[in-house]
Amino acid sequence: MTHKRLLTKLLLLCFIVSYSILQASEKQISYQGQLLDINSTPVADGLYSVDFLLYTDSVGGIPVWTETGDINTSNGLFSYQIGSKNSLSSSLFQQNPTLFLELRIDR
């Protein structure tokens, strides 16, 4: 297995987003992170394809929302607007007050 799935489930973060916060925005979440390899070293600078998936369970299950986008890294650091390609609906957060984010990285 190569960099095709660089650190699958790299970051599994739980975040709770209230409806009122989402309503005030354009239904996007600003996300920043650092992409590290298996040795906890920042990945090479460049373009990476990322699948963003939201789940209702912390382990396993079927995602309730997905989006694929590209990130550019600098010393592993990146930022991305979650929901910029596949809008985050208000009902998603009304029906699921707690969601878990998974990132799948391809080079």
Side-chain angles (χ1 to χ4, degrees), residues 89-102:
S89 69
S90 299
S91 62
L92 174 67
F93 296 97
Q94 288 174 329
Q95 296 169 3
N96 306 288
T98 302
L99 292 168
F100 299 87
L101 176 64
E102 175 184 355

Side-chain angles (χ1 to χ4, degrees), residues 9 12-13 53-64 96 98-102:
K9 294 187 179 184
L12 182 61
L13 301 174
L53 303 98
L54 291 176
Y55 293 88
T56 56
D57 294 315
S58 62
V59 178
I62 298 171
V64 294
N96 306 288
T98 302
L99 292 168
F100 299 87
L101 176 64
E102 175 184 355

